Amino acid sequence: MIKVEGLTKRYARNVAVDNISFEVEKGQIVGFLGPNGAGKTTTMRVLTCFLPATDGKAEVAGFDVRSQAMDVKRRVGYLPETPPLYPEMEVREYVEFVGRLKGVPKANLQARVDEVCGRCNVADVKTKLIAKLSKGYRQRVGLASAIIHNPDVLILDEPTAGLDPEQRKETLALIKELAGEHTIILSTHILPEVETICQKVIIISKGKLVATDTMENLNSRLRGSELLEVEVGARTGSINKDSVQSRLSSVAGVSRVEFKDVRNGHLQFHVESQQGESVRAEIARSVVSADWDLLELHGAGLSLEEIFLQLTASDKGAK
Amino acid sequence: MSNIWILCKKELRSYFVSPIAYGLMAFFALICGYFFYAAVAIFVLRSTDPMMMQRGMPMDINEWVIRPLMMNVSVIGLFMIPMITMRLFAEEKKTGTIELLATSPILDIEIIVGKWLAAVLLYLSILGISAVNLAVVFIYGKPDWKPVLVAYLGLLLQGGCLLAIGSFISNCTKNQIIAGAGTFAVCLLLWVLDWVAAYETTTFGKMISYLSVTGHFENFAKGVIDTKDVVYYLSLSFFGLFLTARSMESLRWRA
């Protein structure tokens, strides 16, 4: 559905996107990850024909973004980071206006407006002025107008930025719902979001492609060894840090135990397992059988920064 | 074509839901009313002048009231145009809505013409208020109506070309104040250019005074349609819209 080959975008003084290539298949949700300033927005702007690429080729829905821009624009729904709303319009009016711009036939424009407003949960504010809407509603109105012409490809630039956790959850659920009919690229710098809804991840950093893979592959590649956070407390009396550490280390499959902190008299450790070993059950048993309390045992997620460090580090190693 | 109309309607609507349109109309009604009063007052004063009474020929109301009024309206227009055009593109660039327009399946030129057309229609509806003043003349006098129509045509052409220039300047910046001030400066310059005409007889001087916007309006105010003036206004309109299109294009590579 989307094919990018050697895409480069150079501004006067810096290179925003440097020779990146990737492909997205029909119906997929793809997470476009990267820290701020990585070139996510620039890439998306090229795909939506807002900016021309300096070099390279990009195809959306089988049309070239440079030579067949009109065909691409007809098939792409785009939600920029700040939804492009006119505050002086009412919600219904705005969605209708966008529908007309995108060339939705007059005969079924009204039906489409009602449909997308319903899907994006903005039906209850249809007659409100956009200026009076909260951030969450604005985001959803933006999304509603992005899908008004039923586009093949949906490009969402940080659709959850600035939303509260509840709104964030709702927005993600909505995007996931839309996935069947549309191919979706969404950019974000928040990893858990991607984990919950994306099938594929494209990671860029400083304009360069760092990784492009399916979510599972990426996870196993990065988390061949599991990192656990363990909190142990004494049932009675006090507890010795070293004895806990040595006991944890002696569990089969554990490669490293690191003492982290003391919290309310409880000891916190980071335990790393060997490649491909699951050690949770053993750790729990060993702690409890030593007559300590196991207060917490959970996998410590890798932050996006850590993924970057790992990926870029492995790149350097390969070279 | 329908895309132009979509944009034009949206633009007109945002003029009329904001105070801009009403503010300009009120401002224009006030100033135009004042100039009308002044023109009529002079007319009345002169008509009672014994020297004039002896002349036997009645005073021409077209020449004494309508022409000076129209000349003044043309100058008031120069002051209103920056206020009409300043938000046209600058606002969309600032709020990011230009991204919506630029990624929609419409041509740049349709965006530009749609917006310009909305500005022209607003300008016309503001000018329409002066019809109230003229109606008084038509009720109490018997002026010739044809020169009046020609004068309005001239105002429309003049407005069209200045609005096109204003669109271009608004497209060059994200800042509405800069857009407004820039357009005002250009309008002012195009107005005062013909002040040198009286003293300059060289070719260069004539060229400069030919560029004056208000200079070309004089014939229209008299009720004369000169192709020279029509060509001047139309070509300046096209030039303004052409520059706007170029500036819009540069948005894409300058980003």
Side-chain angles (χ1 to χ4, degrees):
Chain A
M1 210 63 184
I2 299 171
K3 216 164 119 187
V4 174
E5 268 178 44
L7 188 76
T8 301
K9 175 71 191 173
R10 233 171 271 127
Y11 293 124
R13 278 192 192 84
N14 60 327
V15 182
V17 176
D18 191 1
N19 192 21
I20 68 172
S21 306
F22 61 85
E23 261 180 64
V24 179
E25 271 142 53
K26 196 173 173 328
Q28 273 187 330
I29 306 188
V30 175
F32 204 48
L33 278 167
N36 295 325
K40 297 181 301 250
T41 301
T42 303
T43 310
M44 294 187 145
R45 283 181 165 174
V46 171
L47 290 178
T48 52
C49 310
F50 184 64
L51 290 179
T54 316
D55 205 2
K57 256 182 71 174
E59 253 178 39
V60 176
F63 296 97
D64 188 82
V65 292
R66 195 188 298 248
S67 56
Q68 295 161 304
M70 280 295 160
D71 292 296
V72 172
K73 286 176 181 179
R74 259 189 281 277
R75 287 166 182 80
V76 171
Y78 176 42
L79 178 63
E81 195 176 341
T82 30
L85 305 172
Y86 294 104
E88 74 271 13
M89 283 192 185
E90 285 173 8
V91 171
R92 179 180 186 95
E93 208 184 338
Y94 172 74
V95 178
E96 226 178 278
F97 168 68
V98 177
R100 285 212 190 95
L101 271 187
K102 304 280 182 184
V104 176
K106 238 187 198 139
N108 57 13
L109 182 60
Q110 292 306 324
R112 273 303 292 171
V113 170
D114 287 331
E115 195 188 326
V116 296
C117 283
R119 281 199 85 162
C120 297
N121 298 322
V122 291
D124 51 331
V125 292
K126 253 192 238 170
T127 53
K128 262 196 171 177
L129 273 182
I130 289 176
K132 309 253 180 212
L133 294 183
S134 68
K135 176 103 175 118
Y137 267 115
R138 285 179 191 210
Q139 201 75 30
R140 275 181 283 167
V141 172
L143 199 55
S145 58
I147 58 173
I148 182 82
H149 56 308
N150 203 7
D152 296 338
V153 176
L154 200 51
I155 296 181
L156 312 170
D157 195 357
E158 310 232 352
T160 57
L163 299 184
D164 68 36
E166 186 62 30
Q167 294 168 334
R168 179 170 296 216
K169 224 172 96 188
E170 280 172 23
T171 308
L172 287 177
L174 177 61
I175 293 171
K176 199 168 181 180
E177 229 183 86
L178 293 171
E181 311 140 52
H182 315 276
T183 308
I184 302 178
I185 295 194
L186 82 137
S187 82
T188 176
H189 54 260
I190 304 160
L191 185 64
E193 282 185 0
V194 178
E195 280 180 313
T196 48
I197 64 169
C198 296
Q199 286 120 19
K200 194 179 163 182
V201 186
I202 296 163
I203 301 181
I204 63 172
S205 170
K206 291 183 189 136
K208 287 200 166 58
L209 193 69
V210 180
T212 160
D213 215 333
T214 60
M215 205 58 229
E216 296 90 53
N217 283 349
L218 203 64
N219 259 332
S220 60
R221 217 169 101 194
L222 293 167
R223 300 190 188 158
S225 57
E226 198 175 18
L227 183 70
L228 299 171
E229 254 177 52
V230 182
E231 192 173 320
V232 179
R235 251 179 93 177
T236 49
S238 66
I239 186 165
N240 187 326
K241 181 184 100 183
D242 295 325
S243 63
V244 179
Q245 181 147 14
S246 64
R247 193 171 176 94
L248 286 175
S249 308
S250 66
V251 173
V254 170
S255 62
R256 199 167 62 91
V257 177
E258 192 190 335
F259 174 71
K260 286 296 286 183
D261 207 358
V262 183
R263 194 173 64 188
N264 305 333
H266 307 141
L267 307 171
Q268 291 177 315
F269 294 91
H270 268 178
V271 178
E272 217 177 296
S273 73
Q274 279 162 12
Q275 197 81 18
E277 297 272 350
S278 180
V279 294
R280 295 186 191 209
E282 282 307 314
I283 287 177
R285 202 164 293 130
S286 113
V287 169
V288 173
S289 67
D291 211 23
W292 296 320
D293 284 337
L294 179 61
L295 295 150
E296 225 176 288
L297 172 62
H298 62 85
L302 286 173
S303 69
L304 189 58
E305 287 74 32
E306 283 169 301
I307 289 193
F308 275 119
L309 287 177
Q310 289 208 16
L311 285 169
T312 44
S314 63
D315 270 7
K316 274 175 201 149
K319 275 170 199 165
Chain B
M1 205 48 210
S2 69
N3 286 335
I4 293 178
W5 183 231
I6 294 169
L7 256 302
C8 177
K9 248 186 0 196
K10 175 233 137 202
E11 215 54 52
L12 264 184
R13 202 188 158 281
S14 61
Y15 276 129
F16 279 95
V17 294
S18 72
I20 303 175
Y22 307 104
L24 284 176
M25 281 176 167
F27 162 78
F28 180 76
L30 192 71
I31 304 276
C32 184
Y34 169 75
F35 280 125
F36 177 69
Y37 164 77
V40 172
I42 291 171
F43 180 78
V44 171
L45 204 66
R46 286 287 160 85
S47 61
T48 53
D49 191 333
M51 291 294 286
M52 286 290 198
M53 304 272 268
Q54 284 166 14
R55 227 171 53 164
M57 201 168 67
M59 279 175 74
D60 184 2
I61 197 162
N62 277 86
E63 193 188 323
W64 283 92
V65 175
I66 294 175
R67 197 202 296 180
L69 182 67
M70 286 308 190
M71 281 307 285
N72 286 330
V73 168
S74 136
V75 173
I76 303 167
L78 298 179
F79 289 86
M80 291 193 306
I81 271 142
M83 290 185 245
I84 295 176
T85 57
M86 63 187 222
R87 53 165 289 284
L88 222 46
F89 290 93
E91 193 181 31
E92 302 237 18
K93 284 174 100 167
K94 184 127 198 163
T95 58
T97 43
I98 194 85
E99 229 170 316
L100 170 72
L101 302 182
T103 56
S104 292
I106 48 175
L107 301 170
D108 281 1
I109 194 72
E110 289 174 323
I111 300 174
I112 293 162
V113 173
K115 280 172 169 286
W116 173 75
L117 204 61
V120 171
L121 288 177
L122 173 66
Y123 177 72
L124 262 186
S125 56
I126 294 171
L127 284 187
I129 292 176
S130 62
V132 177
N133 302 118
L134 291 179
V136 175
V137 179
F138 277 93
I139 290 169
Y140 294 102
K142 279 199 195 69
D144 190 357
W145 58 271
K146 277 171 260 153
V148 176
L149 277 191
V150 172
Y152 272 111
L153 175 70
L155 286 175
L156 174 64
L157 286 170
Q158 183 198 317
C161 82
L162 290 175
L163 289 168
I165 292 169
S167 302
F168 165 61
I169 295 172
S170 177
N171 204 322
C172 291
T173 172
K174 271 183 187 173
N175 188 322
Q176 289 193 43
I177 307 290
I178 293 177
T183 310
F184 183 64
V186 173
C187 285
L188 211 57
L189 195 68
L190 287 174
W191 173 35
V192 300
L193 275 181
D194 76 333
W195 291 5
V196 299
Y199 318 106
E200 275 292 351
T201 47
T202 57
T203 318
F204 182 70
K206 278 184 191 153
M207 264 169 62
I208 293 289
S209 76
Y210 176 79
L211 287 177
S212 162
V213 175
T214 39
H216 288 275
F217 182 69
E218 265 164 45
N219 279 335
F220 284 102
K222 283 181 209 155
V224 177
I225 303 180
D226 189 337
T227 30
K228 180 183 78 178
D229 304 322
V230 176
V231 166
Y232 168 83
Y233 283 136
L234 288 183
S235 52
L236 203 55
S237 300
F238 277 116
F239 185 57
L241 292 177
F242 169 77
L243 287 181
T244 316
R246 292 280 107 157
S247 159
M248 192 89 169
E249 231 173 79
S250 79
L251 194 86
R252 292 168 193 268
W253 50 261
R254 271 198 325 206

